[in-house]
Amino acid sequence: MAKVRATEKRIAPIDMSTGDFRRMGYKLVDRLADFMDNIANCKVSIDKTPEQVRGILDAQREVPENGASPTELLTHATDLLLDNSLFNGHPRFWGYITSSPAPIGILGDMLASAINANLGGWQLSPMATEMEAQTVRWIAELLGYPSNCGGILVSGGNMANFLCFLAARVEAAKYNVQAKGLNENPNGPFRVYASKETHTWIQKATDLFGLGTDSIRWIKTDQKQRIDLSALREAVKNDRQNGDIPMMIVGTAGTVSTGAVDPLPELASYCRENKIWFHVDGAYGAFAALADDVDQAIHGLSEADSVAVDPHKWLYAPLEAGCSLVRDPEKLRRAFSYHPPYYHFGEEATNYVDFGMQNSRGFRALKVWLAIQQVGKSGYQRMISEDIRLTREMFRAVENTPELEALTCDLSIMTFRYVPVDLQEKDGDPETEEYLNSLNEELLVRLKRSGELFISNAVINDRFVLRACIVNFRTSQSDVEALPEITVRHGQALDRELRA
Ligand SMILES: *Cc1c(COP(=O)(O)O)cnc(C)c1O
């Protein structure tokens, strides 16, 4: 009896024979390799409504009572996604700030899932935790930030900024803000300072963490969309006179709209003199510190109290991968740890549960750890510099096209708009500007629908402008040169229709 029981193996419906696992895995990898081979011939995006996509999915179907063949399911899922997705891995994807995924990262995610390490605690993930710690150090090194900083991988730039924000909140409070919250703040209200070009994470952070969005002091920007230092000083001075507490000053290394880099060295010394936490949002641009030919102000990030970066942007990691760095590791730990400090004896293991918001955590560091070593520092230097160079080439191509107006070009973001020849002299006339705004807005819709390329938009001085951002190791010279022709062709057709 006992012998029989020992050899009994439970058969769970979710399990799979290793033979099936092999066959399905090989087949999936083959399909994905074919997809990558052909990606340049695909449309960048689909032209379908949400209703159509829901129809294709059979979205209203109820949960199936019984199971189905995993081979068929995986094939079906692959078909659905390959036929109905936007491909940011396409060489002509230049929308928002989303990179092509590094192939090694795709495989890394699979490996991470197979080990299924839980990086909340060291014991649950001994090697994985040490690999994450190494990844954090390497990210800091790539940026020129002190590599003995505290850091943690998070889901993206928003979350990376949030963690830094919370570390700054504990630092600024001269009372136990974690216990008392903001209800019992015995001091003045917290204020945070950020330029008008700052990403919306700042609204979410002030809202979510109890300050309220009215605590944001929106500082005006100069001609190049950089924070205006004298306006900043004035705002801080006024608030301090009123008894308010400046909690954090935000500098951005590469704004979302135009890629502007705030004067980070000046911000750093101002913050140091005035004892205010200096945070740099480098979600988009921080890794451009690796490139030679960029605004040297970017190196001011090395002086920040905290930096948020996004490996899923310029390190080309597949989504998701963000990273928070805090100069003093203790200041990060303090904001999240519910272990009393007397549990610290000497060389302790890293338990990431003490360094962020999550409890159970996946191994998102692995894909970054792999990519950094596949290409090395020099590989990233080359790819990021190439993205920047190609953006400038694109800008030049736009400048050389009579019907296109080139506007800004910073890091790897350039903005421009379509202006029909006969309207060029009327540039600035309110009625013309209104027409140009609606023309370019509709043109963007047409371009996306065409699937020939994918760009997004910005609003600069009340003008609706088109915006291309190259964070894409697949983009080449010929792709860049194709942009003016495609834009003008759709622009002309649309202008004719609108004026008919
Ligand atoms: C992308 C970006 C964010 C938000 O990052 P997510 O990864 O999308 O969460 C914040 N700030 C800047 C400057 C960004 O470019």
Side-chain angles (χ1 to χ4, degrees):
M1 278 292 276
K3 205 175 165 194
V4 173
R5 223 178 268 135
T7 55
E8 255 174 25
K9 189 169 181 273
R10 177 175 167 188
I11 301 175
I14 198 80
D15 209 349
M16 184 185 285
S17 78
T18 50
D20 282 351
F21 184 81
R22 255 179 246 281
R23 270 186 298 277
M24 287 168 65
Y26 292 152
K27 191 172 158 199
L28 177 62
V29 168
D30 279 341
R31 284 201 68 185
L32 295 180
D34 288 345
F35 159 64
M36 286 189 256
D37 276 341
N38 285 314
I39 194 163
N41 306 318
C42 299
K43 289 193 163 196
V44 188
S45 56
I46 57 163
D47 182 16
K48 289 175 189 156
T49 63
E51 198 185 343
Q52 286 170 320
V53 176
R54 285 195 286 266
I56 294 166
L57 175 62
D58 191 7
Q60 295 304 316
R61 202 165 70 103
E62 286 174 358
V63 66
E65 179 62 33
N66 296 306
S69 145
T71 313
E72 280 167 31
L73 279 172
L74 200 58
T75 303
H76 181 51
T78 312
D79 291 340
L80 285 175
L81 288 165
L82 290 181
D83 295 344
N84 299 286
S85 290
L86 171 143
F87 300 125
N88 45 37
H90 191 289
R92 294 186 183 175
F93 176 84
W94 305 310
Y96 310 105
I97 308 172
T98 309
S99 71
S100 282
I104 198 160
I106 301 170
L107 298 172
D109 266 351
M110 182 166 161
L111 174 58
S113 293
I115 305 300
N116 202 25
N118 184 337
L119 286 89
W122 190 91
Q123 281 195 9
L124 302 174
S125 55
M127 179 52 80
T129 289
E130 298 304 340
M131 289 163 92
E132 175 158 347
Q134 188 168 47
T135 306
V136 167
R137 281 197 299 278
W138 283 345
I139 287 173
E141 262 183 65
L142 289 174
L143 298 170
Y145 197 67
S147 59
N148 60 356
C149 65
I152 185 170
L153 274 280
V154 292
S155 57
N158 261 31
M159 206 50 109
N161 282 302
F162 290 173
L163 264 55
C164 298
F165 184 94
L166 287 166
R169 196 182 69 143
V170 173
E171 174 75 2
K174 302 297 178 214
Y175 68 103
N176 187 349
V177 63
Q178 286 156 301
K180 303 289 178 195
L182 296 180
N183 282 341
E184 293 181 44
N185 179 0
N187 308 315
F190 292 138
R191 305 291 178 208
V192 298
Y193 305 80
S195 94
K196 291 198 156 106
E197 293 294 314
T198 306
H199 187 278
T200 51
W201 72 265
I202 188 86
Q203 280 111 314
K204 289 194 181 179
T206 50
D207 167 8
L208 291 169
F209 306 127
L211 282 71
T213 54
D214 287 352
S215 66
I216 306 169
R217 298 297 188 234
W218 293 106
I219 310 299
K220 69 176 183 185
T221 50
D222 65 14
Q223 293 272 300
K224 297 178 100 180
Q225 283 81 41
R226 298 172 304 191
I227 193 166
D228 182 306
L229 290 168
S230 58
L232 170 69
R233 283 189 210 103
E234 196 58 30
V236 171
K237 204 175 93 194
N238 282 342
D239 283 341
R240 280 204 159 143
Q241 273 166 5
N242 289 333
D244 298 358
I245 315 290
M247 184 191 107
M248 166 191 257
I249 291 177
V250 178
T252 300
T255 58
V256 266
S257 283
T258 63
V261 177
D262 282 330
L264 304 182
E266 288 82 355
L267 286 175
S269 51
Y270 177 75
C271 287
R272 205 178 313 116
E273 282 159 25
N274 290 277
K275 298 198 167 46
I276 303 171
W277 185 285
F278 177 36
H279 171 67
V280 171
D281 175 8
Y284 158 48
F287 291 108
L290 282 165
D292 304 321
D293 194 13
V294 293
D295 186 342
Q296 293 303 298
I298 201 162
H299 298 296
L301 69 80
S302 65
E303 297 175 64
D305 292 294
S306 58
V307 184
V309 295
D310 238 352
H312 68 210
K313 287 177 177 169
W314 240 336
L315 295 188
Y316 313 103
L319 295 162
E320 307 164 338
C323 180
S324 305
L325 301 174
V326 176
R327 175 175 297 272
D328 178 348
E330 190 48 32
K331 291 183 180 173
L332 179 62
R333 201 193 63 81
R334 180 171 83 178
F336 299 103
S337 172
Y338 274 88
H339 297 274
Y342 46 78
Y343 279 161
H344 274 247
F345 352 86
E347 271 257 309
E348 215 211 359
T350 305
N351 293 304
Y352 277 113
V353 68
D354 293 334
F355 288 86
M357 292 198 213
Q358 279 180 279
N359 193 63
S360 293
R361 303 176 63 247
F363 194 11
R364 45 169 72 92
L366 179 58
K367 57 198 166 193
V368 185
W369 186 88
L370 288 166
I372 289 176
Q373 292 172 91
Q374 186 198 344
V375 305
K377 186 173 173 181
S378 65
Y380 275 121
Q381 242 153 6
R382 213 175 77 204
M383 291 186 289
I384 292 170
S385 299
E386 275 285 293
D387 283 347
I388 293 172
R389 189 186 64 75
L390 286 167
T391 309
R392 289 177 185 158
E393 295 278 332
M394 193 185 257
F395 191 70
R396 216 160 301 142
V398 164
E399 279 181 322
N400 292 333
T401 307
E403 282 162 275
L404 297 180
E405 182 183 9
L407 293 162
T408 67
C409 185
D410 244 317
L411 295 184
S412 71
I413 296 176
M414 68 87 138
T415 61
F416 64 106
R417 62 180 185 165
Y418 174 72
V419 183
V421 180
D422 63 310
L423 296 183
Q424 287 175 4
E425 277 124 63
K426 298 191 190 159
D427 201 337
D429 160 59
E431 216 167 288
T432 308
E433 286 302 325
E434 200 173 310
Y435 176 68
L436 289 178
N437 277 354
S438 51
L439 176 65
N440 280 277
E441 203 169 338
E442 182 58 25
L443 175 55
L444 180 60
V445 175
R446 296 277 175 108
L447 287 169
K448 287 180 182 173
R449 247 188 231 152
S450 78
E452 292 179 73
L453 52 74
F454 194 101
I455 56 177
S456 51
N457 79 284
V459 175
I460 303 176
N461 301 328
D462 297 325
R463 289 176 171 181
F464 186 97
V465 303
L466 306 174
R467 168 188 173 286
C469 172
I470 306 181
V471 184
N472 192 335
F473 59 87
R474 291 211 176 89
T475 300
S476 62
Q477 185 74 26
S478 59
D479 298 311
V480 158
E481 285 168 1
L483 174 124
E485 183 277 322
I486 296 170
T487 312
V488 169
R489 172 160 42 82
H490 288 278
Q492 283 176 345
L494 177 63
D495 181 44
R496 267 197 304 273
E497 276 173 49
L498 290 178
R499 285 204 257 179

